[in-house]
Amino acid sequence: LYLTTQDTSYISSTIIDGNDAGSVVTFSNGETSSAKLVGFTIQNGSATYGAGIYCNVGSPTISDVRIIGNTASFSGGGIFCDNSSSPIITSTTISGNTGEYGAGIYCTSSSSPTITNATISGNTGEYGAGISCISSSSPTITSTMISGNTALYHGGGILCNYSSSPTITNTTISGNTGSLGGGVSCYSSSPTIINTII
C-alpha cells in the first residue's frame, strides 16, 4: 500500500515478523536491484547471520523499510551482506538491532551496499555497531544519519577493517560510543569522508 499510495503510515503498520525463528527476509539467489522490498517493517528476526535481512550473492533494492529489533548471534543484526552482495538501501531506518559485528549492517567479502538517506541508530554490538565493513567491503554512504550506536570495543558508528574503505558523503555520525573509534574505527583501511560531521 505504501508503494501505491505513498502514505508513509503503511510502513509501520505493514509488518513482517520473524517470530525469533531465523532471518526475516533472505536474498540468496543472485537477485539484482530489480528485486525490491518496499514499504515494510522487518522485526523480531533471530539468526547467526542477518537476522533482519540476509543477502548472500544478492543485491536487491531495499527502500522505505524499517528494520527494527532483530538479533544476530554473530553478525548483521539488521542487514547482512556477503559474497559481493551490494544492495541499494534508501530511505530506510535500521534501529534497535543487536549483533556481535555490524549490529545495524554487516558487509564482508567485497560486499559494498549503496546507502542513501538512511537512519542507522540505537544498534548495539561489540564491533561496528552501526556499520561493519570487513574484507574489501566499501559501501557508499550518502546523506545518512548514524547516531546513538554502541560498540563494546571498536567502531561505535562505523568499523572499517581489512582493506575496506567506504565513501561517506554528506553524513552525520554522532553520539556513538566505542572503546576505540566511537565514531569511526579503521584498521588497514582508508575511508573517503566528504562534507561529513563526526
Side-chain angles (χ1 to χ4, degrees):
L1 287 169
Y2 168 73
L3 186 64
T4 57
T5 67
Q6 300 301 300
D7 182 346
T8 56
S9 68
Y10 287 119
I11 297 171
S12 59
S13 62
T14 310
I15 299 168
I16 306 175
D17 193 303
N19 199 31
D20 295 322
S23 301
V24 183
V25 177
T26 297
F27 296 96
S28 59
N29 291 295
E31 292 86 355
T32 67
S33 60
S34 62
K36 298 181 180 182
L37 182 70
V38 181
F40 289 96
T41 291
I42 307 298
Q43 67 183 33
N44 294 332
S46 180
T48 304
Y49 306 99
I53 298 175
Y54 177 86
C55 298
N56 186 358
V57 197
S59 300
T61 297
I62 300 166
S63 177
D64 300 280
V65 172
R66 295 168 70 236
I67 303 168
I68 60 172
N70 301 285
T71 301
S73 59
F74 186 63
S75 55
I79 300 175
F80 176 86
C81 302
D82 195 6
N83 291 323
S84 301
S85 295
S86 299
I88 297 170
I89 303 166
T90 60
S91 302
T92 287
T93 296
I94 302 167
S95 182
N97 304 286
T98 60
E100 184 176 344
Y101 284 83
I105 300 174
Y106 180 84
C107 311
T108 190
S109 301
S110 301
S111 295
S112 299
T114 299
I115 304 164
T116 306
N117 194 33
T119 299
I120 302 168
S121 66
N123 301 288
T124 304
E126 295 189 12
Y127 300 89
I131 302 172
S132 280
C133 312
I134 309 292
S135 300
S136 301
S137 295
S138 299
T140 300
I141 305 165
T142 306
S143 301
T144 287
M145 173 66 73
I146 302 170
S147 65
N149 301 287
T150 302
L152 181 61
Y153 300 116
H154 303 176
I158 300 174
L159 172 68
C160 308
N161 217 343
Y162 303 114
S163 301
S164 296
S165 300
T167 299
I168 305 165
T169 307
N170 297 337
T171 287
T172 298
I173 303 168
S174 71
N176 304 285
T177 59
S179 62
L180 291 174
V184 180
S185 176
C186 300
Y187 177 81
S188 297
S189 298
S190 302
T192 299
I193 303 173
I194 303 165
N195 196 34
T196 286
I197 297 167
I198 304 176

